[in-house]
Amino acid sequence: MAQYSLRHYGVSSWQLSPSMIVLHFTESDTASSARNTFANDSPNLGELPGTCAHYIVAQNGDVWQIVPTNIRCRHVIGLNDRAIGIEMVQRTYGHSSTWADQQILGRPAQIGAVLALIRSLQRRYGISSGNVIGHAMANQAPQFRDLEGWRNDHTDWQTQDALEVRRRLAAIR
Ligand SMILES: [Zn+2]
């Protein structure tokens, strides 16, 4: 991860001081299949380490921490040096990403666990809700930066759906 960080961000470090949270969905049916994908550590876009995320939240609300939040992992191009990644178990089944986001928003056990997790991370690291973004928003984030010119091509968590997450965060305090 330090070598990846040197190539993409210009500084050799695997350590994370999180200042953002990026929302994802897994495009898998279960938390364990998502975890296994990360555990394979196979090259992504020709580079190692493989993709991963800090947390996976199952549809029943179980929260699995995969990577400590002081270690970087590859879940979002351009922001891996500053962002915690939260994966929510959901597939699109041929529908749009917004449809998939809405399935999660409509599942109280899962989205409730996600909101509680985000709130606790916000308190711990002083992360504002404006820095809780969807993966689909990453290329437009002011903090986005990749020295190899990589861009995200993922559409999980569209802007309007991430804004709904922010609204719900504001409501729970
Ligand atoms: Zn994603």
Side-chain angles (χ1 to χ4, degrees), residues 24 135 154 156:
H24 303 267
H135 193 176
H154 288 213
D156 46 334

Side-chain angles (χ1 to χ4, degrees), residues 109-137:
Q110 187 178 26
I111 193 64
V114 168
L115 293 169
L117 173 61
I118 293 173
R119 264 289 178 235
S120 80
L121 292 168
Q122 287 186 290
R123 278 192 293 270
R124 186 163 152 201
Y125 294 111
I127 299 173
S128 69
S129 291
N131 284 327
V132 178
I133 70 168
H135 193 176
M137 302 162 68

